[in-house]
Amino acid sequence: MCKLSAIIAVSLVSVAAASFTLPVRADECQLKEVASLDLTDFGYRPLVPVTIEGQGALMLVDTGTPISALDPRAVRSLNLITRRMFQGMMINSRGKSFDAVADLKTFAIGNLTAQDKRFLVDPDPITGDSRVAGLLGADFLRNYDFDIDFAAKKLDVFDQDHCPGKVIYWPAGAVAVVPMHVENSGHIVVPVTLDGQQIDALFDTGTSHTILWASAATQYFNLSPNSPGMQLVSKAGDAPPIYRRQFKSLSLEGIMISDPIVDIVENEAGQAIQEDAPTGSRISSAGEENGVTSMILGMRELQNLHIFVSYKEQKLYVTAPTPSATAPSSP
């Protein structure tokens, strides 16, 4: 993870909505789709197609990272021009400083197009999979509303200019309206109920595993390494161990997920678990995940749900999986 202030984030990288070319707006209550993207499954996490300098690539949609970044392998393969930046302002999960940015003449996501954009270049490969050209972080995502339909493998992006609550355009029974708090960095914090205990969790589309910090496991569930059901899954050198436990239920305002599997990690091991291929978040603001939230809500537990993320309303709209629906057309 990178220790990064919101002010630095804004000044270094801009993928702002105002710079993109948007379709013409219609009735203000109608959802206005600005991009519809096919999802590629990547360890439960969503990869979407983008165009970088006219060449196709895949990027990971990552609500858990404040700033969009490119993989150094993609920078080389796409022959992107980079330039040095001041070192020491931020580091990645392996403790290496970001020292370069890539200036892009053209960047596109579906119908959204932009010119003269700047992306951080990670000093390390972002994942073990070379298909992942980079991360689409909160600096881009928070300018729009979007929904992820894992069953239909679609991600639809919408203009935020719509009436509050008028967002469920697909056939749905129960709808959970989950309040969310958006940190200055863009991180999304939501309340969840795990085995009857309400816990604040980081909603992270860039992480496959759901993670509970060990201090919270002790506080809420009186768990220790010797507790029944605790399975040791990782112990490397001097790094704190990582345990795994199956709980009975995880609930989002009434939408129930049965038998969630949760990794229990010492707070100091948060960086180590982010290095693994199953997780994708690489950049974070100092202290927010470990200081404010007790849990990271990963995609393994959310993969069967249909989720609309409204940054404007600061709400998640969550439904159980339904037959695929067509997003409303923009005029």
Side-chain angles (χ1 to χ4, degrees):
M1 295 183 179
C2 166
K3 305 304 181 185
L4 175 66
S5 73
I7 294 176
I8 294 174
V10 170
S11 63
L12 279 176
V13 179
S14 174
V15 190
S19 300
F20 281 88
T21 302
L22 299 176
V24 178
R25 295 180 175 178
D27 178 72
E28 289 190 359
C29 267
Q30 179 183 344
L31 281 176
K32 291 159 277 261
E33 181 185 279
V34 297
S36 182
L37 307 166
D38 293 325
L39 294 180
T40 299
D41 185 24
F42 176 59
Y44 308 111
R45 295 160 296 163
L47 289 179
V48 294
V50 301
T51 303
I52 301 173
E53 304 290 50
Q55 301 184 59
L58 292 172
M59 294 185 74
L60 177 64
V61 178
D62 189 356
T63 59
T65 195
I67 296 181
S68 302
L70 295 175
D71 188 291
R73 295 168 300 186
V75 170
R76 290 191 295 270
S77 66
L78 294 170
N79 295 315
L80 300 180
I81 297 174
T82 63
R83 58 188 178 85
R84 304 283 291 182
M85 57 176 277
F86 178 74
Q87 294 189 42
M89 299 177 74
M90 61 196 78
I91 59 174
N92 70 4
S93 60
R94 292 176 175 86
K96 293 185 180 180
S97 295
F98 285 81
D99 61 4
V101 294
D103 292 316
L104 307 184
K105 293 181 180 178
T106 61
F107 179 76
I109 306 172
N111 294 329
L112 295 171
T113 59
Q115 288 77 41
D116 302 321
K117 293 292 104 183
R118 183 177 298 168
F119 283 82
L120 287 173
V121 178
D122 201 299
D124 290 318
I126 289 175
T127 74
D129 192 327
S130 60
R131 294 180 305 161
V132 182
L135 306 175
L136 281 177
D139 59 329
F140 165 74
L141 297 171
R142 70 190 303 173
N143 296 297
Y144 305 96
D145 290 348
F146 67 91
D147 80 270
I148 301 178
D149 185 350
F150 290 99
K153 293 192 178 299
K154 294 290 291 185
L155 183 140
D156 293 296
V157 184
F158 300 94
D159 191 325
Q160 292 183 341
D161 186 13
H162 59 78
C163 289
K166 306 295 185 180
V167 300
I168 305 298
Y169 60 84
W170 59 89
V175 178
V177 182
V178 183
M180 72 186 204
H181 172 66
V182 181
E183 300 284 348
N184 289 335
S185 61
H187 288 136
I188 296 173
V189 179
V190 297
V192 303
T193 303
L194 181 66
D195 281 8
Q197 296 288 337
Q198 189 170 76
I199 300 174
D200 284 337
L202 182 75
F203 174 76
D204 191 352
T205 60
T207 296
S208 60
H209 295 68
T210 291
I211 300 167
L212 180 68
W213 302 121
S215 57
T218 300
Q219 175 185 350
Y220 292 107
F221 304 103
N222 196 29
L223 292 175
S224 70
N226 298 321
S227 297
M230 294 284 279
Q231 175 189 2
L232 179 65
V233 295
S234 175
K235 180 66 174 79
D238 296 330
I242 298 173
Y243 292 88
R244 185 166 293 163
R245 186 176 189 272
Q246 183 172 304
F247 287 78
K248 294 179 181 178
S249 65
L250 176 66
S251 174
L252 288 161
E253 296 294 322
I255 298 292
M256 193 70 66
I257 301 165
S258 299
D259 304 320
I261 298 173
V262 178
D263 287 352
I264 298 174
V265 184
E266 294 287 346
N267 289 41
E268 295 79 9
Q271 291 185 356
I273 199 167
Q274 297 293 348
E275 295 177 13
D276 298 338
T279 60
S281 300
R282 303 282 295 187
I283 309 169
S284 67
S285 292
E288 284 189 345
E289 288 89 351
N290 296 354
V292 176
T293 64
S294 299
M295 191 174 185
I296 296 178
L297 187 59
M299 292 296 98
R300 181 172 57 188
E301 273 57 57
L302 302 178
Q303 62 174 317
N304 293 320
L305 302 178
H306 194 161
I307 303 171
F308 190 102
V309 181
S310 179
Y311 281 96
K312 178 184 178 181
E313 298 180 44
Q314 297 210 11
K315 291 178 182 177
L316 295 183
Y317 293 86
V318 184
T319 70
T322 57
S324 60
T326 302
S329 299
S330 296

